[in-house]
Amino acid sequence: MSFTLGPSILFVPADRPDRYAKALERADAIIIDLEDAVASVDKAEARKALIANPMDPARTIVRINPAGTQDHDSDLEALEQTDYRTVMLSKAESVADFDALTELEVIALCETARGVLAATTLAALDCVVALMWGAEDLVASLGGSSSREDDGPYRGVALHARSSVLLAAGAYSKAVIDAVHLDIADTDGLAAEARDAAALGFTATACIHPSQVAVVRESYAPTVEQIASARALLAAAESQPGVFSFEGRMVDGPILRHAECVVARAGLREG
């Protein structure tokens, strides 16, 4: 199993089927959300909408409610009536949470203190194809009230969680999705976070509004200058085995792998 969706993944409420196709037209993939985006009283109707309005299963993720809840069981029953086989498990916290999901491709959403601490264990599961972290539920699980400083950047504990989930995914060669940026108007802040995510190795960034999709795509794409520099470096390496100097910098194995990652993402700009 592998996860290749990205870099822009757009959430859409499951009880708004009128938005499904529009969202999928804009983003690389969509997350049809049966959890937080749908009020409790509307979840049954949301499941009916999920079944009645099929989208491309190769580009659709279904966010299901946490394990151990009646809504979770109902979500799985609804999924059996669809072709969707990629799900995002809300508030994933333990191996036992995945007992009913072994035949699916699962994105483990680590958005509580227990979930973040268990990220490495969850990343090791065969059915887990990717991890994602969430700031707001995490802070709520700690009894806090804000994941960000007044001027915008994440507080330390949120950054720690982000790094922990990224490292857990990397340890098991799983994809990893960065958290949503709630301030829709703050395109500069979103762009900065998405550029940072791409530089660190995140596979994608989740979006909550269609206007964020283009910002994320642009931010994940390396610049023309970065692509040219990476290709020149790799070309130079073909005739210079071992450690060498290039444009005043020492180059060894890890630096070459950095350049290979830039070239791999070049299609985001050149396509």
Side-chain angles (χ1 to χ4, degrees):
M1 292 186 292
S2 62
F3 180 93
T4 57
L5 303 176
S8 60
I9 305 179
L10 180 59
F11 275 99
V12 57
D15 61 348
R16 292 300 306 270
D18 56 304
R19 297 182 181 178
Y20 291 6
K22 293 177 183 177
L24 196 55
E25 287 174 3
R26 298 197 182 195
D28 297 300
I30 58 172
I31 304 168
I32 300 179
D33 189 1
L34 287 166
E35 197 221 8
D36 283 346
V38 181
S40 296
V41 297
D42 296 325
K43 288 187 186 291
E45 289 301 315
R47 294 184 192 102
K48 292 178 182 178
L50 177 78
I51 296 167
N53 298 273
M55 294 290 106
D56 179 3
R59 296 174 55 213
T60 302
I61 302 157
V62 179
R63 178 158 81 160
I64 58 177
N65 285 275
T69 65
Q70 180 58 54
D71 282 319
H72 177 82
D73 297 339
S74 298
D75 291 347
L76 294 182
E77 291 173 3
L79 274 172
E80 291 178 357
Q81 301 177 60
T82 74
D83 291 329
Y84 301 131
R85 290 298 173 263
T86 304
V87 300
M88 176 178 288
L89 177 61
S90 304
K91 299 174 180 63
E93 293 185 341
S94 72
V95 171
D97 291 345
F98 294 78
D99 286 348
L101 307 178
T102 56
E103 300 302 315
L104 300 170
E105 295 192 344
V106 188
I107 300 167
L109 179 49
C110 302
E111 54 182 342
T112 65
R114 286 183 178 181
V116 171
L117 291 178
T120 303
T121 300
L122 303 184
L125 295 174
D126 289 339
C127 66
V128 170
V129 296
L131 300 182
M132 179 175 165
W133 78 286
E136 308 314 318
D137 278 295
L138 170 64
V139 171
S141 78
L142 297 170
S145 59
S146 174
S147 67
R148 294 181 181 269
E149 303 285 355
D150 292 341
D151 57 348
Y154 280 121
R155 297 180 189 275
V157 70
L159 290 175
H160 175 76
R162 183 180 190 240
S163 298
S164 296
V165 172
L166 174 64
L167 289 168
Y172 288 92
S173 300
K174 301 294 176 74
V176 57
I177 303 169
D178 205 10
V180 298
H181 194 85
L182 293 180
D183 188 347
I184 297 170
D186 180 25
T187 55
D188 289 343
L190 171 62
E193 286 180 6
R195 286 194 297 270
D196 182 66
L200 288 173
F202 278 90
T203 311
T205 290
C207 304
I208 57 169
H209 191 273
S211 66
Q212 295 180 324
V213 169
V215 177
V216 168
R217 280 200 184 123
E218 178 69 17
S219 299
Y220 268 77
T223 66
V224 173
E225 292 77 16
Q226 288 171 330
I227 295 169
S229 178
R231 286 178 171 159
L233 173 57
L234 293 173
E238 292 179 0
S239 60
Q240 301 185 68
V243 177
F244 65 97
S245 177
F246 180 79
E247 295 182 349
R249 286 197 311 161
M250 184 202 79
V251 176
D252 58 5
I255 302 303
L256 291 176
R257 290 195 292 275
H258 292 177
E260 290 168 354
C261 289
V262 170
V263 172
R265 289 193 290 115
L268 295 172
R269 170 103 26 218
E270 297 171 346

